[in-house]
Amino acid sequence: MTQTHFTLNNGKSIPSIGLGTWQSAPGEVAKAVEFALKNGCRHLDCAWAYGNEAEVGQGIKASGVAREEIFVTSKLFELHHHPEHVPLAIRDTLKNLGLEYLDLYLLHWNINLEVDAPEGVLPRNEHRVKGSSGKFKLDVPLSDDVTPTWKEMEKLVDQGLVKSIGISNFNIYRTRKLLKEARIKPVANQVELSIQNPQPELVAWLKKNDILPQGYSPLGGTGKTNLRDNEVVQKIADQHGVQTANILLSWLVTRGINPVPKSVTPERIANNLKLVELTKEQFQELEDLSVSHPKQRVCDQSDSFEPDYDIYQENDPEFNDKVQFNKD
């Protein structure tokens, strides 16, 4: 029997498939959300940075689905990690979505940008600070230690503004560092997970520590079809009479991962909700494919700011996930 929900470490339940809203264009996302909810989706993955939360809120309202039936996630952006900005950010997100609370609030990235905004004003893109290279400047101390930000997010739980808090784009080292300081343990870590970026050490470590791995770009990225066109995936899809996307998502859920595929196309939204039960042999074929397939990330901001900042530390001899996994 396919898994319809995961249980978080605070006892709350999250649907096993979500609707991602990244790169959903204006005029499209409200209709996509409305359609998704009317057709059985109960998990929406949003973010302030996507710039479309107001439309997501319109879609929620138009669907007629009761608020308590929907699991809504949003994310604290890298402009808003300074402690004084966290309360402003959550209230802006809730206002845009038309909600009184979030089910899950994630630290969107483990980096924080320097900002120059008036006191009491929520920083926006125009408040970013450019460095001598022309790139926007990072606040390195707050990127290295997110504890002050996390403590403010914990207060949001105390205040009832969010039910659960979590992280995104954190590796093992950075997650372990946060756990030492956290009063409230993160319930999830949303990272890029797919056949081409399986991150087995990170997934295993998160599961061992009762933190749900969530997967963005589970189908290989916007407009990319190489995973969906793969011969192994197609063969298994044919055996089940489904599309290849169903196999890629079912493989992730079987691994204990909560994928959040993005789409604004009604047919794809409906199709992505259909999970199949893979045989042991089929699951192993996909596991083997994830090992042999060339590794590729869709999203990496490590060289986007000043100074360059190694977000994932994949090639760091001390802090990469393989080394950190074997420390336990």
Side-chain angles (χ1 to χ4, degrees):
M1 186 175 180
T2 56
Q3 185 161 356
T4 60
H5 290 74
F6 291 102
T7 301
L8 302 173
N9 62 35
N10 59 6
K12 299 186 184 301
S13 179
I14 182 171
S16 57
I17 295 283
L19 174 68
T21 58
W22 180 44
Q23 294 182 331
S24 296
E28 295 181 335
V29 68
K31 293 178 181 178
V33 167
E34 179 184 358
F35 177 87
L37 293 173
K38 285 182 174 179
N39 286 271
C41 176
R42 290 295 181 268
H43 175 188
L44 303 176
D45 185 76
C46 317
W48 185 92
Y50 301 165
N52 57 15
E53 286 185 324
E55 281 203 43
V56 172
Q58 292 167 17
I60 292 173
K61 185 176 181 180
S63 75
V65 176
R67 169 66 184 96
E68 59 270 19
E69 293 183 20
I70 311 170
F71 193 102
V72 182
T73 298
S74 191
K75 307 176 188 75
L76 180 75
F77 194 46
E78 55 210 39
L79 297 176
H80 304 148
H81 287 201
H82 286 281
E84 65 270 24
H85 295 146
V86 175
L88 300 175
I90 184 62
R91 294 194 181 279
D92 196 55
T93 278
L94 291 174
K95 179 189 73 174
N96 289 335
L97 290 169
L99 303 178
E100 295 183 356
Y101 67 91
L102 292 177
D103 296 279
L104 177 58
Y105 201 33
L106 304 177
L107 265 174
H108 202 156
W109 289 90
N110 63 320
I111 53 173
N112 182 68
L113 290 172
E114 284 193 19
V115 294
D116 183 12
E119 184 177 352
V121 172
L122 179 68
R124 300 186 182 275
N125 286 335
E126 59 266 29
H127 297 121
R128 294 175 294 181
V129 177
K130 277 192 176 181
S132 57
S133 66
K135 297 178 180 180
F136 293 108
K137 295 179 69 174
L138 282 183
D139 181 332
V140 175
L142 194 52
S143 299
D144 285 343
D145 182 9
V146 301
T147 303
T149 310
W150 189 255
K151 289 186 180 301
E152 291 301 313
M153 292 182 70
E154 290 175 328
K155 292 178 184 177
L156 303 181
V157 179
D158 298 336
Q159 295 163 6
L161 296 174
V162 303
K163 303 293 185 182
S164 305
I165 50 177
I167 52 182
S168 182
N169 296 298
F170 275 56
N171 62 4
I172 293 174
Y173 170 73
R174 299 188 201 281
T175 307
R176 183 189 285 118
K177 186 176 177 180
L178 175 61
L179 289 179
K180 292 178 181 177
E181 305 296 332
R183 172 172 62 88
I184 298 177
K185 184 176 183 177
V187 300
N189 184 12
Q190 187 176 129
V191 297
E192 184 180 333
L193 290 168
S194 67
I195 289 283
Q196 67 186 12
N197 194 40
Q199 304 199 72
E201 292 84 10
L202 177 60
V203 169
W205 188 89
L206 290 171
K207 291 167 66 177
K208 178 181 176 182
N209 285 274
D210 201 14
I211 299 171
L212 177 67
Q214 294 185 297
Y216 66 80
S217 297
L219 305 179
T222 304
K224 305 290 178 61
T225 63
N226 60 305
L227 298 186
R228 282 174 283 173
D229 293 343
N230 183 274
E231 291 181 0
V232 173
V233 180
Q234 184 65 64
K235 182 190 71 172
I236 297 172
D238 290 343
Q239 291 169 351
H240 285 275
V242 297
Q243 297 181 21
T244 50
N246 303 106
I247 300 303
L248 294 169
L249 296 172
S250 296
W251 171 71
L252 288 168
V253 172
T254 304
R255 289 180 74 203
I257 293 163
N258 181 205
V260 287
K262 178 199 79 69
S263 184
V264 294
T265 306
E267 294 79 7
R268 289 181 178 175
I269 291 171
N271 183 69
N272 287 345
L273 296 173
K274 301 173 184 175
L275 296 174
V276 300
E277 189 165 358
L278 300 169
T279 67
K280 290 182 180 179
E281 292 76 17
Q282 290 168 341
F283 178 75
Q284 190 57 52
E285 281 189 90
L286 294 166
E287 288 285 286
D288 294 343
L289 177 60
S290 75
V291 173
S292 63
H293 195 284
K295 300 299 176 284
Q296 181 181 350
R297 278 192 185 274
V298 173
C299 192
D300 186 355
Q301 299 189 86
S302 294
D303 60 356
S304 299
F305 306 108
E306 181 184 314
D308 288 353
Y309 193 85
D310 191 358
I311 291 174
Y312 302 114
Q313 301 177 304
E314 289 176 302
N315 298 312
D316 189 289
E318 182 180 359
F319 299 129
N320 73 76
D321 280 344
K322 287 182 171 60
V323 170
Q324 291 293 313
F325 179 76
N326 290 321
K327 281 194 169 186
D328 289 344

